[in-house]
Amino acid sequence: MAHITINQYLQQVYDAIDNHDGSFCAELLSFKHPHVANPRLQLASPEEKCQQLLEPPYDEMVAAHLRCTYAVSNHDFVEAYKFQTALPVMFSVTLDLRIFANSAEQQLQKKGKGQPGEMLEKAAEQLMSCFRVCASDNRAGIEDSKKWGMMFLSNQLFKIYFKINKLHLCKPLIRAIDSSNLKNDYSPAQKVTYKYYVGRKAMFDSDFKPAEEFLSYAFHHCHGSSQKNKRMILIYLLPVKMLLGHMPTHQLLRKYDLMQFADVTKSVSEGNLLLLNEALSKHETFFIRCGIFLILEKLKIITYRNLFKKVYLLLRTHQLPLDAFLVSLKMMQLDDVDIDEVQCILANLIYMGHIKGYISHQHQKLVVSKQNPFPPLSSVS
Amino acid sequence: MCQFMTYKVKEQAIKKNSLSQRRDAPAGGEWRQRKEERWRGQGKAQAREVEEDESCEQHGKEAVPRGTCQTMCPARELQDREVQNRLHRFEMLAGTERVRRPRGDPLRAVKEYTRPAAGKDSTNPTDLRPPAVLLKTVCYLIDDIAASPHLHPWTEVYSFVFDRLRGVKQDMIIQRVSGLNCMAILERTVRFLIYASYRLCGEPLWLYDPRINDTHLQESLSWLLDCYATETGPHPNQEEFQALGLLYNLGSARATQHIMELSGRLRTSPAITLALSINRAFLERNPVRMLRLARRLNFIQGCALHRHLVTCRRDLLLIYSHGYCSRNCRFPLDRLAQLLSLDTSLAAQLCQAYGVDVNQGNQLVFSKAAFTEPGKGKLHCKMYHNIVAEKQRELSVGNIIHGCV
């Protein structure tokens, strides 16, 4: 223990986590264990190393512990105390709890017993009590306040709520963090995770502008070496950006192995409904599994808008016959659309602000404004 | 310094949460300990797991109450209610309704729903009806009460059936019933509540509360869908109920996501495909398409959908108020009536309720400034029901609820 390298130590931690060996894991984070005397583990900035080998939030926990060993070796006990609080242990326990619940879930599902999500809900209840304890910790000074645990716990709870599809339970957590004076001082990793979930929640609530903000933050601040995490964030950021009119480049999609979005992007910007339907259908399983299929369907309205804009540009007039739109839809092989539906779609686009103009039923024409009849997408949502 | 928390402490923390609501698992601490051991030895003997499973099953079965009451109402309760004069008129022996203390008819009395209370033993086997009796009870409630042409008013029929179905559900929960009987009962319950939501729409609140109906409908539906997910098939009615669930919860992201996660075979079945298309049209705010597709629904599906028709029609008037908003624009009332699936006079009434002006020549003058939401109580959903009503035709209430159409 006193001579292993940092890599070997992290490997041991990883193995302990993988085998759900909570007690050994806790030992590896304890000051009673001989590893703390190992100078190779006493690092001032172990975060990157930890992030490379461990999943969040373990990476952060272990990093905090290692910084502590460094501080202690320098006899900087104030610094050491900051990191070696009961929090890491609580972290490890609550993590185990969530994993525990997940395993229980899987076991129950295999046997076909119990209600899906029950175990996770119970775990969430436990975590919620921990959260309340942390949130109401007004006694200790800011340095050792339990409030530091709030974001970590929220992130754990978010994971569960998303899994059991009870997103409305995220709201009180978000409110609590928002009103906390520590909200900008949490570690970068925690903030990234937090913004990721808050962004996804906003997406779910159709608040696309805030969703874009949160998910963009998460994407840009996510550590460059975590390709997997960046990809996960991108999966949710892309649809939001597309709804706001910003299409991703092929380069970006290729870099993060997200070519499933390529056809979707192309069809939306071209106004090609046929290709869009095909693209959604082709990668249906992937999109459904990620929970973005429904958001992507919203792109249909954007696609209609882009298609109709093409019709407008082609005809170069401000009084467009409704028939022209009907023809364009029939070209997209939408055979069961009739003139009534065309009017309905146009009326909806006008209502949503995507088209500036009005329909004249008597003349069977769409009359558009001479100025900017198809306002840019980012200005509309 | 650090305090270690061992698995034991965690276990105690979890133990605190009661397992009594879990339907199938036994509630002993012993069971949990065994499970614990299984996790520790992850990947080891599958055989041991199976063995433990079976002894768990046995242990579990002994702890779960098993009813023995062979009548729709336990003898003790019938006697009590008779003595206390608390029989419902549907349960009285013919000819004794008007006497001071009517007699109960054991062939017509049905166990009431009673709120669970501390200290009250609801697990006495003589008071519990086994699953086969529960199913027979439900069939009686449908055939002899809900579908009876002689019992009036239907609001009273509904109250009685609603309460007694709740009693059936309660017996099912206490005995942790699952399997075919459970699903057959839940399917009928859901159809009954959906039908009621349509038939009693517009009744005064003290006779029928749509929110209470909704709560129980969602609970029963949710339980039924869980059964489909966890019990081994085949489930011949699953397509029907997944579709009904989506239609009833039209526009709900959760309901939609649930459908998207079903197997491909189910998702492409006719009823679910149609429900999904209607859902899509609703979400895209295309009421023309939505109403057009709705014409293809059968009666019970129409009942499930009917409460969303208000929103659908409102959406149409709203977007048209914006889309046709120009001083000289005129839109023919007839055309709109067709789109709304209403006759002309009803369409005119609806327009007026939303502030849409109808001029002398039966032309509509749309204006986004003029559109207003109708005042509370101004809009009577029931008036605009014909799109669903006309699907009923010769269908009997009994057939609708049993699902043999």
Side-chain angles (χ1 to χ4, degrees):
Chain A
M1 254 307 134
H3 51 270
I4 59 170
T5 63
I6 177 75
N7 279 347
Q8 286 169 324
Y9 168 74
L10 290 175
Q11 188 61 47
Q12 288 199 8
V13 173
Y14 181 84
D15 288 339
I17 294 167
D18 209 34
N19 295 328
H20 301 293
D21 197 339
S23 39
F24 184 52
C25 198
E27 271 182 70
L28 287 169
L29 294 175
S30 152
F31 265 80
K32 293 192 185 146
H33 193 269
H35 74 271
V36 297
N38 184 348
R40 283 157 141 174
L41 301 182
Q42 292 158 4
L43 300 169
S45 304
E47 283 84 355
E48 213 176 295
K49 199 85 195 174
C50 292
Q51 271 188 343
Q52 267 176 20
L53 288 166
L54 299 170
E55 297 278 319
Y58 295 105
D59 57 345
E60 208 188 304
M61 262 166 53
V62 176
H65 175 67
L66 291 176
R67 280 176 75 165
C68 192
T69 60
Y70 173 74
V72 167
S73 70
N74 287 346
H75 297 282
D76 190 345
F77 289 109
V78 173
E79 180 80 359
Y81 186 57
K82 218 200 289 189
F83 291 99
Q84 191 66 16
T85 59
L87 281 176
V89 182
M90 180 202 68
F91 288 5
S92 105
V93 164
T94 52
L95 264 159
D96 278 339
L97 178 60
R98 188 170 62 77
I99 294 161
F100 191 83
N102 255 320
S103 308
E105 275 291 319
Q106 285 167 22
Q107 298 239 339
L108 287 172
Q109 290 224 352
K110 260 194 283 193
K111 289 194 293 174
K113 293 197 177 169
Q115 279 189 306
E118 226 172 310
M119 283 278 91
L120 284 172
E121 270 197 73
K122 299 257 157 73
E125 279 166 39
Q126 297 286 315
L127 291 175
M128 200 52 190
S129 344
C130 289
F131 181 84
R132 284 193 199 102
V133 167
C134 288
S136 55
D137 180 28
N138 290 312
R139 287 179 302 140
I142 218 72
E143 300 255 310
D144 9 272
S145 169
K146 292 197 186 66
K147 286 194 169 161
W148 288 108
M150 275 167 70
M151 193 171 267
F152 172 81
L153 284 168
S154 296
N155 292 343
Q156 294 302 305
L157 282 162
F158 286 151
K159 281 192 191 146
I160 296 181
Y161 293 150
F162 269 82
K163 190 145 187 204
I164 59 176
N165 213 351
K166 292 214 168 155
L167 271 69
H168 60 282
L169 295 172
C170 297
K171 207 154 144 209
L173 297 169
I174 298 174
R175 233 179 313 142
I177 302 260
D178 256 0
S179 57
S180 136
N181 50 354
L182 294 178
K183 73 174 163 205
N184 291 317
D185 301 328
Y186 290 101
S187 80
Q190 280 187 5
K191 280 205 283 197
V192 163
T193 310
Y194 177 77
K195 298 253 173 172
Y196 165 73
Y197 281 112
V198 176
R200 279 185 64 185
K201 169 98 184 19
M203 224 175 126
F204 188 81
D205 293 335
S206 299
D207 293 329
F208 298 120
K209 281 258 170 71
E212 191 205 5
E213 221 182 274
F214 293 125
L215 290 168
S216 293
Y217 178 98
F219 183 69
H220 288 118
H221 289 84
C222 180
H223 206 281
S225 55
S226 310
Q227 183 86 340
K228 193 173 131 204
N229 287 342
K230 281 193 106 112
R231 180 175 186 267
M232 241 184 3
I233 300 171
L234 211 49
I235 288 176
Y236 298 97
L237 181 56
L238 285 174
V240 173
K241 279 201 128 89
M242 288 200 274
L243 279 166
L244 294 170
H246 308 301
M247 303 296 150
T249 61
H250 254 246
Q251 235 180 338
L252 182 71
L253 295 178
R254 215 180 296 274
K255 179 175 178 193
Y256 289 98
D257 186 25
L258 287 172
M259 291 307 286
Q260 297 94 331
F261 287 94
D263 279 343
V264 174
T265 307
K266 178 161 185 258
S267 56
V268 172
S269 44
E270 287 175 5
N272 189 338
L273 281 158
L274 178 61
L275 184 61
L276 178 64
N277 285 331
E278 282 174 4
L280 288 178
S281 178
K282 189 161 152 207
H283 301 290
E284 200 177 61
T285 322
F286 171 74
F287 292 142
I288 292 174
R289 216 176 353 111
C290 297
I292 52 172
F293 189 84
L294 300 172
I295 306 268
L296 290 173
E297 286 213 314
K298 288 192 204 264
L299 288 170
K300 262 194 205 143
I301 297 196
I302 311 287
T303 315
Y304 279 125
R305 177 255 186 211
N306 288 340
L307 177 65
F308 291 167
K309 182 174 180 182
K310 277 192 164 169
V311 172
Y312 159 72
L313 291 169
L314 263 171
L315 296 180
R316 296 166 181 256
T317 162
H318 293 281
Q319 298 187 355
L320 303 149
L322 295 179
D323 243 352
F325 297 108
L326 183 60
V327 167
S328 72
L329 290 175
K330 294 249 192 254
M331 280 176 65
M332 293 295 159
Q333 295 186 16
L334 275 87
D335 291 318
D336 60 345
V337 177
D338 63 8
I339 202 79
D340 288 320
E341 246 192 89
V342 168
Q343 295 188 32
C344 188
I345 296 169
L346 284 168
N348 190 30
L349 287 170
I350 295 172
Y351 170 70
M352 291 181 78
H354 286 303
I355 301 180
K356 294 225 291 253
Y358 64 89
I359 309 170
S360 163
H361 184 84
Q362 299 104 295
H363 298 110
Q364 290 284 292
K365 283 201 159 90
L366 171 72
V367 181
V368 296
S369 155
K370 295 214 169 89
Q371 292 227 18
N372 203 13
F374 289 83
L377 287 165
S378 48
S379 67
V380 175
S381 330
Chain B
M1 290 270 196
C2 262
Q3 295 294 309
F4 291 122
M5 276 168 86
T6 61
Y7 265 112
K8 228 195 183 88
V9 179
K10 269 186 280 183
E11 191 186 298
Q12 277 168 356
I14 295 169
K15 231 180 194 142
K16 273 208 207 111
N17 290 309
S18 81
L19 282 179
S20 57
Q21 287 142 339
R22 294 264 311 276
R23 288 199 304 285
D24 284 309
E30 193 186 353
W31 169 75
R32 212 177 337 238
Q33 203 180 318
R34 282 202 207 113
K35 210 172 189 198
E36 178 64 345
E37 285 167 50
R38 258 193 292 233
W39 275 310
R40 281 264 169 79
Q42 200 125 14
K44 284 194 192 150
Q46 291 278 43
R48 190 170 67 137
E49 202 175 281
V50 173
E51 186 194 298
E52 276 171 2
D53 251 357
E54 287 174 292
S55 64
C56 274
E57 286 279 352
Q58 256 182 334
H59 191 90
K61 280 201 161 72
E62 287 175 80
V64 177
R66 289 269 172 266
T68 56
C69 173
Q70 296 299 318
T71 51
M72 295 194 295
C73 183
R76 185 167 59 147
E77 177 182 315
L78 178 55
Q79 204 177 36
D80 287 347
R81 285 203 280 134
E82 209 177 61
V83 161
Q84 294 161 20
N85 206 357
R86 284 194 304 113
L87 292 168
H88 192 282
R89 68 179 179 97
F90 298 160
E91 297 172 308
M92 294 171 186
L93 203 55
T96 67
E97 296 94 338
R98 297 194 191 271
V99 305
R100 207 163 56 94
R101 215 199 283 152
R103 299 272 313 282
D105 184 347
L107 293 175
R108 297 172 73 216
V110 182
K111 182 178 177 185
E112 273 184 331
Y113 167 75
T114 43
R115 222 167 264 294
K120 195 165 87 171
D121 179 24
S122 50
T123 60
N124 185 342
T126 53
D127 287 337
L128 290 170
R129 298 159 291 179
V133 177
L134 288 172
L135 184 55
K136 285 209 197 89
T137 306
V138 172
C139 291
Y140 166 79
L141 287 169
I142 296 170
D143 298 323
D144 289 61
I145 309 287
S148 163
H150 310 298
L151 299 177
H152 304 291
W154 210 75
T155 43
E156 196 183 351
V157 168
Y158 165 81
S159 289
F160 179 75
V161 175
F162 180 89
D163 179 85
R164 299 312 192 255
L165 281 177
R166 239 182 135 182
V168 165
K169 198 160 100 172
Q170 202 174 27
D171 275 13
M172 284 209 290
I173 292 175
I174 295 171
Q175 298 175 85
R176 309 209 183 146
V177 175
S178 61
L180 292 173
N181 279 324
C182 177
M183 289 187 277
I185 291 170
L186 288 172
E187 286 174 353
R188 284 161 178 77
T189 305
V190 170
R191 284 199 202 98
F192 170 75
L193 294 172
I194 288 179
Y195 171 66
S197 77
Y198 160 75
R199 180 161 175 177
L200 296 177
C201 170
E203 293 284 346
L205 216 57
W206 64 89
L207 290 176
Y208 166 70
D209 188 340
R211 272 171 320 169
I212 296 180
N213 192 66
D214 175 67
T215 307
H216 289 274
L217 214 183
Q218 300 281 24
E219 269 175 29
S220 306
L221 184 62
S222 182
W223 186 353
L224 180 61
L225 296 183
D226 272 349
C227 288
Y228 290 144
T230 53
E231 314 234 9
T232 46
H235 306 297
N237 297 327
Q238 189 182 174
E239 178 193 336
E240 178 195 347
F241 283 92
Q242 296 285 4
L244 284 175
L246 182 58
L247 290 168
Y248 186 74
N249 289 309
L250 205 71
S252 148
R254 196 172 169 187
T256 315
Q257 181 71 16
H258 166 82
I259 298 283
M260 296 314 295
E261 289 170 358
L262 294 174
S263 77
R265 191 189 45 87
L266 258 182
R267 247 188 306 132
T268 50
S269 63
I272 296 181
T273 308
L274 181 55
L276 268 174
S277 308
I278 295 178
N279 189 49
R280 205 167 278 141
F282 184 72
L283 286 170
E284 281 173 16
R285 217 184 285 117
N286 189 338
V288 167
R289 186 175 184 80
M290 189 186 145
L291 288 166
R292 174 170 301 154
L293 290 169
R295 293 202 199 111
R296 291 201 249 154
L297 297 172
N298 66 26
F299 178 63
I300 191 77
Q301 289 169 330
C303 292
L305 180 71
H306 106 275
R307 63 186 188 149
H308 302 290
L309 292 173
V310 183
T311 315
C312 176
R313 291 184 174 126
R314 172 231 179 234
D315 279 353
L316 187 68
L317 292 174
L318 174 63
I319 64 179
Y320 275 37
S321 292
H322 280 71
Y324 291 87
C325 180
S326 123
R327 221 177 309 128
N328 298 321
C329 262
R330 299 287 176 268
F331 196 99
L333 177 64
D334 288 346
R335 192 60 172 275
L336 189 76
Q338 240 181 341
L339 296 174
L340 291 170
S341 292
L342 294 173
D343 73 36
T344 326
S345 61
L346 277 177
Q349 265 184 295
L350 190 71
C351 287
Q352 269 152 10
Y354 283 94
V356 178
D357 192 26
V358 188
N359 73 6
Q360 297 281 35
N362 267 355
Q363 300 280 320
L364 297 163
V365 185
F366 282 114
S367 148
K368 60 185 172 192
F371 176 88
T372 40
E373 305 284 356
K376 214 163 179 184
K378 275 288 189 65
L379 198 67
H380 301 292
C381 175
K382 202 175 176 76
M383 282 170 60
Y384 308 96
H385 270 186
N386 58 301
I387 185 178
V388 181
E390 64 199 20
K391 296 180 204 283
Q392 186 169 4
R393 284 183 229 113
E394 302 302 312
L395 290 172
S396 73
V397 176
N399 282 343
I400 292 164
I401 303 176
H402 281 301
C404 20
V405 283

